[in-house]
Amino acid sequence: MLIQTNVLRRFFIEMKFAVCLHFLLFVAAKAGDFDSDFDGGYTLSVEHAFGAGGEFSSRGTVTVKSVKSGFAVFTQDRPLNHEEIEKLRHAAESDGFYMIRIPTKPELYVSTFIKACSLYESELSDVIRIHLDQTGDVIGVSLTTVPALCQGLEPPDSNLTNFNTSVEVAQTVTGPTPDTSTYLQKMAKDKEQKVAGEQDNRSFFAKYWMYIVPVVVFMLITSASDQGSGGGGGAR
Amino acid sequence: MAASTCILNFVKCLIILFFVNVSLALYADQVGKFDWNQKLIGKVKYALFDHSTHSSKRIVVATEENVIAALNSKTGAILWRHVFEKTSVGIVHALYNVGNDVVTLTGGGNIIRSWNSATGVLHWESVASKSTATDNPQSLLMLEKKTLVVLTSDTVFAVGLATGKIKWTAEVPNKDTVVYKHFYTDLDNLYLIGTVEGSHVTIATISLETGKVKLQTQVPASWVLLSTTCKMLQSGRLICFEPRMKYLYSLQPPSGDQFVPTALSDVMGQLMVIKDVSFTDLHADSVGVQVAPDHHIVITVDASGQAKLVKDLPQVFGIDNLSGEVIWQKLIPGIVPFQQLGKETLPLFVLRTTAHFPHPPEYAVLGKHKATGNGLLDVFNPITGRCMTREVIQLNYRVQHVSQLAQHDADFVRPVIFVDTNKLIHVYPETATDVLMEAVAHNYLFSADADTGVVTGYRMSLTAEKGFTSEPVWSVILSKDTQRITNVVAKRQNEHVHSQGRVLGDRSVLYKYLNPNLVVFTTEGQDDQEKSYVTLYLIDVISGQVVFSANHQRAKGPVNIVHSENWVVYTYWNQRLRRHEVAALEMYEGRTQSNTTAFSSLAPPPTPIVERQAYILPYTVVAMTTTITEKGITNRHILLALADGGILDLPKALLDPRRPNTPTAEHREEGLIPYMPEIGAPKEMIINYNRSVFNIDAIYSAPAGLESTTLIFAYGLDLFCTRVWPSKMFDVLKDDFDYWLISVVLTALILSSIILQKMAARKQLHAAWK
Amino acid sequence: MDEVESRYLNIVIFKDGELKLLQFSYENEDYISPIKTTVEGKVPSLKEYTDDWALNTIIHVDGGQYIGFVRNDGSFAVHNVPPGSYVFQAVNPDFDFEPVRVDVNSKGKIRVRKVNYIQSSQVEVVPHPIKFRLRGPINYFQKRETWRITDMLLSPMVLMMVLPLVVIGVLPKLINTQDPETQKELQNQMSNMPKYDMPDLSEMFTSLLGGSTKSTVKSKGKRRKD
């Protein structure tokens, strides 16, 4: 506290106008800069290749509508042509890979792969999962097909032209922090209860009935059995 | 009603007691029974014989580990020791003998402390607060004047050696332009020698009584550079070496007004090279540790520092883990640590364990050659330390990445694979290519560049022209602003997970997300408002999927990480609230298990549910690990090396992110401890009791042959080795088992049954006769 | 709170129709040569426990970032402490001291307060030259359970078994020896006692608790039966 006051005092004069304008600046930065904390929509292009080492070509675009809700859609540029289907089939038959990548910065891509056969046999139905960091930059991408199996199916070409893709967006979450407030509340409540407990002015009987009752019951039983035994003796 | 809550409270207390008090504490009579420790001092920098008494047998030393200590000159035993700060603040710049005291100069040249050389207790200390800390402060002891003079980058000051009072402090003249590195004295004056690059050498005369500058003279020296090394001889002559033209310049201040140049070639052969005589002590610095099944610890150490003496090079030690005795030590000529995933390492591999008689056990250390940078592999027998090959194997490529295969070859050797800078794959032993061939299909590699933040995954493949190669198949980009990758932590390869799930209070099962290919990456950086942050990523290193990531704003490293089973525990410094915190993450698939047979990263289960919680640590953690047992049945504990010298053995149940704030009956059924924000360090959980160990670099844990037991080895400046039983000794008789009582009772029972049998027989006989 | 690292200044200029940010860092003023303070204090003497306590006690600031050493009289000083907030801890392997938090402001002014990690905003100031409070010797060990006769005798199970025995075995004797008349009466009772004794035990209790009148009435009844 002390320290901060000092730091603040030191720069009070300079900060006077800066502080009030800071907010404005923040807004400006938000609007102008894609990197900062935002929830607007934007698009990412997706490229793909059949077989590892294959040439990448455009597959389509992912439009992220909202980062917060993770809502995004994929739109395919054009249907796969015959040549591409052949490449896919070849890759699937030779246990090859199908790879996708998303450019993030110039010359930098995030990329991933799956077995070509699983894409082939799922008839191009897949899920692209894009991982964003806390400020909204793309850090990674992953791909799964539905189902993710290779059973040796041979789907017809007609089912291999259009992707049936859903997109998931996951963002870096805020790390956990120690939950002191709930604990303090709980402690305060416990304390209250304790105070209340101390002022317990119920009657003696109300407080200790659970001890008194068994003793009384015990005594009653013993005296009753006494009588009973006496009676029993009489009957003999 | 009241009674029931009463009972519930009691149960709650019991649960807490049960967990927290899993009485791991030792009994007082077990001291030293399972553990040993070694207090060490590091590589000696200064040493002096103590003259305080006539019969003194003490040597006082200051070391590169920022330690001063008094040693018994006959036995080498440490009589007393002080550990200074690990940072530059704690560097001991000078060590002097003054009467009954030894005087040290630390704090970058402005803290002078005087220690009683017999007891080691601080006698006096003083600080020259006006003096700025420097890397290389100079000091001069004048015994007859009982004064110590210290020169830092901007000031010179004199300290009285009787009480430690600072006599005077003077700013050096023209401190902005002149760099003072040397000084000498006669009885009255102090002469500071400063250099102005490319121009001249200046000599300032300062009164020893008052500190006033009396005179300043300049000697032209156009050859002088900031990097020029000069030496002050005992006679007061200054000798400088100019490396470009290989000239020695000498000057006899204060009367001399000209440097006398001499070509080095003229004096060659007349120079005598005096070698530094240094004591070296074992200092395990970073790097790898393995415990051999036959109770040997093999550690590779790297004496940090410059590689100037042979002794600075890494050595490998074989230590008996029962006694701490060094059984063998070896030097691998030319080896230095190499960089992998942004860290300097000397990894140690267990190629073959002792379990394959008649094959001898085989371990290997990988480093790089100091001169060529190529890989250097030493394969040795961990029992004897002897090299198993004819000589150290010189690889003819630079190793970029190294890993070990899970499969073993026909000789039970688990091969090690190396990826060189051309992405070609090599294997040791070379005969194991068939194993590699099999492994190629389902083995993937990854690399992480700490500076660019790019993590790349590779697939191995076999091509006709190149042999085994690797090609990139995925990449993740963790670079951002000033962010750097600081940690890459995979799970242990040999870890066994006994239980696939966790039984909840309602008898349903929460299945663990057990991905063997999950690796934790952490990055540290500053955001655009210069606030530090720490981010943690969980990445599947086969598919490149970012499984989870969490960001801690206003947090700082160093981050300690433990990654095991389906959980991650990590510590960091909360800058805003100025405290250490520990966070626990646990990954679950959910109530159903997607694939019951084996985990596949290429057909992964849905993104796991990540339970997370954080706690306050009221202490500083310097190293962290987890217990590991052979079958994974035993409870897990986390071991934390604390800055105050303790090693804390914390049940994982305390770092369970499912700890409820307000426990319900189901939580109690599950055995969860109610949430408390602070995780204390009860002294009973300090496993090294009062044998404090300082400056610990890492803790290594290894499963013992018994399921209940984990072997623990903490290393750094000091060494400490012990065993822990996280679920108590359930498969061993307790060490206090009363063998006598049991055997006496048993014999008594047997004897009495025999006697009684006899007696009964007699009685029967008598009865028959009646 | 405890903020020391915001060392920059943002100035926004509205020029040519656009906002511009100028960011100044003020390191040259505050950062190259920050004020460094010496924090002093005292550790209570442990002379009564050990001789080498001063050697074995050190002061750790934030887990050893800065270290202070203790003199024979228990006083210590930690030098070159830059502005900030630190936890000072007296470390001794055998004794436990209560840590304190020390705030040093940018002018080198020192405030000492109790450590409260959970409510870091709560300030409970303690006097400046730190006086560490000894919490006591540290016990690292568990007590071994030794077998003692008293432990066994005092265990509830044993008590539950032994006490009734005592009551049954000893109390009647006490009564017997004291009063010959009751003895007679009891003997009478014994001779006439039916085979089941449980009720009679209770009778004995009730006779003891409820006084002799009841018992005489009962014995009368029994006699009548004869």
Side-chain angles (χ1 to χ4, degrees), chain A residues 108-120:
Chain A
L108 267 183
Y109 299 92
V110 294
S111 57
T112 189
F113 72 97
I114 49 166
K115 292 229 162 166
C117 59
S118 65
L119 183 75
Y120 177 64

Side-chain angles (χ1 to χ4, degrees), chain B residues 25-26 85 554 579 736, chain C residues 5 67 80 85 117 142 144:
Chain B
L26 285 170
E85 292 89 338
R554 308 225 36 208
R579 64 191 185 196
D736 62 338
Chain C
E5 79 271 17
I67 294 177
N80 296 347
S85 174
Y117 286 108
Q142 211 180 340
R144 209 185 261 294

Side-chain angles (χ1 to χ4, degrees), chain B residues 23 25-26 29 31 82 85 110 115 120 122-123 125 127 529 554 577-579 618 620 643 683 690 736, chain C residues 3 5 8 55 60 63 65-67 69 71 79-80 85 91 93-94 101 117 120 138 140-142 144:
Chain B
S23 343
L26 285 170
D29 53 89
V31 164
H82 283 297
E85 292 89 338
N110 71 6
W115 314 84
L122 182 67
H123 183 199
E125 63 189 319
V127 56
Q529 280 160 48
R554 308 225 36 208
L577 296 165
R578 306 205 60 87
R579 64 191 185 196
T620 308
K683 296 294 180 184
N690 63 357
D736 62 338
Chain C
E3 179 114 4
E5 79 271 17
Y8 57 90
L55 173 69
H60 265 193
Q65 256 185 46
Y66 301 95
I67 294 177
F69 299 91
R71 269 179 265 184
H79 306 293
N80 296 347
S85 174
V91 178
D94 294 305
R101 185 177 280 284
Y117 286 108
S120 43
I138 300 173
Y140 292 103
F141 302 109
Q142 211 180 340
R144 209 185 261 294

